[in-house]
Amino acid sequence: MRRALSTGVERTFGQDPGLPFRLLVDIALRALSPAVNDPATAVEALDHMEGLLVRLADGDLDVGRFDDAAGRTRVSVPVPGWDDFVRLAVDDVVLAATGAPMVLRRTRDLLTRLLPLTPEDRRAPLTDRLRWVEETGSKEHPFVWARA
């Protein structure tokens, strides 16, 4: 069992599937900070997050269970599900982007593009966040916000 484990001081993409999202979200949050104020960089981070989410949208995410030859689960590793990936990619950015209509519009586009690529049973977190972005954009920026 010990030979199957690897340890280290740094997380890797292979060990932590949420890490690429966390790094991109951190870039977007720094870009949206008052000290940096660079919404275009936040939009670029969302471009990359969309690329990752597109790959996961209809993929098999139930990969954390390992069964023996008889079908009994021997090892279970907690891995993020679709809802976790969507929450990680969108929520903090939307909260920070309240004053940045460009970033809110890009988030709306990301969610709108993902909807038709996502199986019906995975669409709820997208539609919930799309509703949130629409409400935030129309409330905070009524003169520049247009519904999709």
Side-chain angles (χ1 to χ4, degrees):
M1 183 75 151
R2 288 185 182 165
R3 286 190 308 261
L5 298 176
S6 64
T7 61
V9 294
E10 298 284 333
R11 296 185 303 183
T12 66
F13 293 164
Q15 295 167 337
D16 181 359
L19 181 59
F21 289 97
R22 186 73 258 162
L23 294 173
L24 289 167
V25 167
D26 287 348
I27 290 167
L29 294 178
R30 281 188 194 100
L32 290 169
S33 72
V36 176
N37 191 23
D38 181 13
T41 295
V43 166
E44 188 169 339
L46 285 165
D47 292 343
H48 293 287
M49 282 188 271
E50 180 178 341
L52 293 172
L53 288 169
V54 164
R55 292 179 181 174
L56 296 172
D58 65 351
D60 179 12
L61 301 178
D62 188 21
V63 295
R65 197 177 79 223
F66 302 91
D67 300 338
D68 62 16
R72 291 179 299 224
T73 299
R74 294 301 182 170
V75 177
S76 180
V77 179
V79 293
W82 176 246
D83 292 5
D84 300 314
F85 287 119
V86 172
R87 182 180 335 103
L88 184 55
V90 174
D91 290 8
D92 289 343
V93 175
V94 173
L95 286 170
T98 301
M102 173 197 302
V103 179
L104 290 173
R105 283 193 304 266
R106 179 60 184 97
T107 306
R108 176 181 61 191
D109 292 346
L110 178 155
L111 295 166
T112 302
R113 289 182 189 138
L114 273 175
L115 275 169
L117 304 174
T118 306
E120 186 68 38
D121 62 334
R122 290 188 182 174
R123 290 183 183 169
L126 300 174
T127 56
D128 291 344
R129 280 153 182 90
L130 185 56
R131 190 176 312 112
W132 178 27
V133 170
E134 287 289 356
E135 289 171 4
T136 302
S138 61
K139 176 183 165 204
E140 298 295 325
H141 309 285
F143 296 111
V144 296
W145 193 259
R147 290 204 171 270

